[in-house]
């Protein structure tokens, strides 16, 4: 796919979206090519792409003009209402964040550390004696879903149901074996979407009768400034977390461990000094950008850095490009686990910054720390090449060989 700049001052074309295997593994040079072309690119069939930190900040600062709510019609995934709070713009967005932010605050997420540690070790126990595993199917895919089940107070035996629902709305084309626009694929996605609402509706019926020490019960009781979440609100929050909070953590684990397979010297730093893990998580989020981009829609004619944006245009923010922008971070192409200040945008920016960022950080910190206490030496199985998907940088398979401790 060719991308051309949106300014008449630049007539050049650059093939920056041709994700060959090498680019999928190491997209940072592609991001540099994006920025070298223009801060705002007009891309065939995709609207506009923001490539620099400065351009992205202009977009983040104007949620009234660059709407997240308007993406519902273009990014629907079996939903019947906007996803809360992602597809709600101010001023209503503020009301929801006031209720939800305290429930996802660091102190609440910290209470999950011990259960997450146990889940990580249970997963490792299932394959450590073999000296090899498929890191995808045996660790990075099931772990975030198990954490989510624990957070919501749901039985871990529901894991297959969660994985089926997640894949059915995120990648229905893979499940059905037909294009994403094919009527059979759309019908399957809608069917799975309906099953997600029905699943959580039934659980909420149970919590209405008897509260438990879990997030679903806290959703039912939360109240701020006289506002409470309705049943539909809670269903929409749960739907969002199912599709946004599971694959993104899995993708982060793929990217982190793929990087550490290629850089054994930095992997050994984490083994020798686990106190580096929190800063390593932030640096790998910045460098690897597991979520490659996020979308907004222009609600009126506008400009970003002098480049015209028309009402209704899709605007994509390349998180990978803005997080490696040397104009904002001069040593952006140095991957340093001792970086003390790391203002990355891996969780987005502005008022729609990721609600579950503290939970994701907890999962990633625990996974890195506990894995390296058990399996300090590992690599991609010889003969296999990691090829990541675009957008959310996922892997279908990640065969790994290792020496357990």
């Amino acid at each position: 796919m060719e991308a051309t700049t949106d300014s008449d001052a630049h007539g050049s074309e650059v093939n920056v979206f041709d994700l060959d295997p090498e680019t999928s593994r190491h997209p940072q040079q592609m991001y540099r090519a994006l920025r070298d072309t223009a801060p705002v690119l007009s891309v065939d069939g995709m609207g506009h792409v923001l490539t620099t930190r400065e351009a992205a900040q202009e977009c983040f600062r104007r949620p009234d003009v660059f709407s997240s709510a308007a993406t519902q019609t273009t990014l629907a995934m079996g939903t019947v209402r906007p996803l809360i709070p992602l597809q709600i713009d101010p001023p209503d967005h503020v009301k929801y964040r006031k209720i939800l932010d305290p429930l996802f605050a660091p102190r609440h997420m910290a209470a999950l550390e011990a259960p997450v540690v146990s889940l990580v070790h249970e997963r490792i126990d299932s394959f450590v004696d073999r000296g090899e595993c498929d890191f995808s199917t045996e660790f990075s895919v099931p772990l975030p879903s198990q954490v989510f089940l624990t957070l919501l107070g749901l039985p871990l035996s529901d894991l297959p149901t969660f994985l089926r629902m997640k894949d059915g709305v995120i990648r229905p084309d893979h499940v059905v074996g037909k294009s994403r626009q094919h009527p059979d694929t759309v019908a399957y996605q809608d069917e799975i979407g309906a099953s997600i609402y029905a699943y959580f509706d039934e659980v909420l019926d149970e919590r209405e009768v008897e509260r438990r020490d879990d997030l679903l019960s806290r959703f039912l009781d939360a109240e701020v400034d006289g506002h409470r979440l309705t049943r539909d609100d809670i269903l929409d929050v749960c739907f969002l977390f199912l599709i946004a909070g599971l694959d993104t953590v899995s993708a982060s684990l793929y990217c982190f461990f793929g990087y550490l397979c290629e850089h054994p010297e930095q992997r050994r730093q984490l083994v020798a000094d686990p106190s580096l893990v929190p800063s390593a998580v932030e640096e790998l989020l910045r460098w690897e950008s597991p979520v490659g981009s996020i979308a907004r829609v222009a609600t009126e004619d506008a400009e970003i850095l002098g480049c015209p944006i028309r009402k209704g245009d899709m605007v994509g923010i390349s998180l990978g490009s803005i997080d490696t922008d040397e104009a904002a971070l001069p040593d952006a192409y140095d991957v340093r686990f001792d970086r003390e200040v790391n203002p990355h945008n891996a969780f987005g920016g502005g008022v729609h910054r990721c609600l579950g960022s503290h939970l994701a950080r907890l999962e990633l910190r625990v996974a890195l720390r506990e894995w390296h206490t058990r399996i300090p030496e590992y690599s991609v199985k010889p003969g296999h090449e990691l090829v990541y998907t675009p957008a959310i940088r996922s892997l279908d398979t990640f065969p790994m060989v290792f020496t357990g401790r």
Side-chain angles (χ1 to χ4, degrees):
M1 179 179 294
E2 290 185 340
T4 58
T5 65
D6 208 31
S7 170
D8 291 336
H10 300 276
S12 61
E13 295 184 348
V14 56
N15 291 323
V16 293
F17 289 99
D18 181 17
L19 289 185
D20 55 74
E22 176 61 22
T23 302
S24 87
R25 287 196 308 278
H26 307 115
Q28 294 80 17
Q29 294 311 313
M30 178 188 73
Y31 298 145
R32 182 175 273 160
L34 282 168
R35 293 190 302 276
D36 287 347
T37 305
V40 182
L41 299 177
S42 178
V43 183
D44 293 343
M46 291 180 60
H48 310 276
V49 177
L50 310 185
T51 71
T52 66
R53 179 69 64 87
E54 183 182 10
Q57 291 304 323
E58 276 206 29
C59 182
F60 287 143
R61 282 193 293 265
R62 300 159 69 189
D64 56 327
V65 177
F66 300 103
S67 168
S68 184
T71 64
Q72 184 193 6
T73 57
T74 55
L75 301 177
M77 290 187 288
T79 57
V80 297
R81 293 180 300 274
L83 297 169
I84 294 175
L86 177 63
Q87 292 176 328
I88 304 293
D89 286 336
D92 287 342
H93 180 269
V94 176
K95 175 185 69 176
Y96 288 112
R97 291 300 290 246
K98 279 186 175 181
I99 296 173
L100 293 169
D101 281 353
L103 302 180
F104 291 91
R107 65 185 181 88
H108 282 307
M109 297 302 101
L112 277 174
E113 178 154 354
V116 175
V117 168
S118 296
L119 290 170
V120 167
H121 284 285
E122 287 174 13
R123 299 236 60 89
I124 294 174
D125 287 343
S126 69
F127 53 73
V128 67
D129 291 338
R130 300 203 313 263
E132 64 178 304
C133 70
D134 185 329
F135 183 78
S136 175
T137 59
E138 297 184 78
F139 191 83
S140 59
V141 167
L143 179 65
S145 292
Q146 289 181 310
V147 172
F148 190 53
L149 287 166
T150 302
L151 177 65
L152 296 180
L154 300 170
L156 293 180
S157 58
D158 280 1
L159 177 61
T161 300
F162 260 58
L163 295 179
R164 180 180 62 83
M165 293 191 300
K166 174 179 72 72
D167 289 339
V169 292
I170 294 175
R171 50 183 67 84
D173 48 331
H174 288 204
V175 178
V176 176
K178 298 178 181 178
S179 73
R180 203 168 188 88
Q181 292 74 33
H182 192 281
D184 291 350
T185 304
V186 174
Y188 179 76
Q189 187 180 48
D190 289 343
E191 176 188 334
I192 293 296
S195 75
I196 293 172
Y197 290 120
Y199 175 92
F200 285 110
D201 210 23
E202 182 177 346
V203 176
L204 287 169
D205 284 342
E206 297 172 0
R207 295 297 187 276
E208 289 279 14
V209 174
E210 181 183 358
R211 299 291 198 271
R212 299 183 188 177
D213 183 18
D214 58 33
L215 187 60
L216 287 174
S217 296
R218 289 192 283 275
F219 282 159
L220 290 168
D221 293 331
E223 181 176 348
V224 174
D225 298 335
H227 296 296
R228 299 174 67 94
L229 296 173
T230 68
R231 172 65 69 94
D232 283 349
D233 291 341
I234 298 173
L235 292 174
D236 297 336
V237 173
C238 291
F239 202 119
L240 172 63
F241 264 77
L242 181 68
I243 64 174
L246 305 184
D247 254 31
T248 51
V249 176
S250 294
S252 299
L253 291 169
Y254 294 137
C255 292
F256 287 16
F257 281 80
Y259 178 90
L260 293 168
C261 282
E262 288 191 335
H263 298 84
E265 72 287 350
Q266 287 181 284
R267 182 180 75 234
R268 290 170 189 138
Q269 288 179 20
L270 299 182
V271 174
D273 185 3
S275 70
L276 289 173
V277 165
S279 58
V281 165
E282 301 305 315
E283 183 70 341
L284 290 173
L285 283 168
R286 180 192 72 82
W287 178 249
E288 288 292 326
S289 298
V291 179
S293 64
I294 55 177
R296 300 289 186 265
V297 174
T299 60
E300 60 186 60
D301 290 349
E303 288 188 354
I304 293 182
L305 301 183
C307 298
I309 309 290
R310 301 304 179 197
K311 180 179 179 179
D313 283 356
M314 181 72 75
V315 177
I317 304 164
S318 174
L319 299 179
S321 185
I322 70 175
D323 276 347
T324 51
D325 185 354
E326 292 155 303
L329 185 67
D331 63 345
Y333 278 70
D334 295 333
V335 180
R336 293 173 32 211
F337 290 171
D338 62 348
R339 193 181 295 279
E340 294 182 0
V341 179
N342 197 341
H344 64 75
N345 287 105
F347 293 111
V351 298
H352 287 99
R353 185 174 174 82
C354 176
L355 174 66
S357 61
H358 299 304
L359 174 61
R361 284 185 165 106
L362 171 68
E363 294 178 67
L364 295 170
R365 288 197 301 264
V366 171
L368 277 185
R369 186 186 69 219
E370 302 304 316
W371 178 283
H372 288 96
T373 66
R374 302 281 301 276
I375 304 176
E377 294 289 333
Y378 53 91
S379 61
V380 179
K381 192 170 185 176
H384 183 80
E385 184 176 50
L386 299 181
V387 180
Y388 296 87
T389 59
I392 296 180
R393 300 182 61 215
S394 296
L395 296 168
D396 290 329
T397 184
F398 187 160
M400 181 188 286
V401 293
F402 50 79
T403 302
R405 189 177 270 174

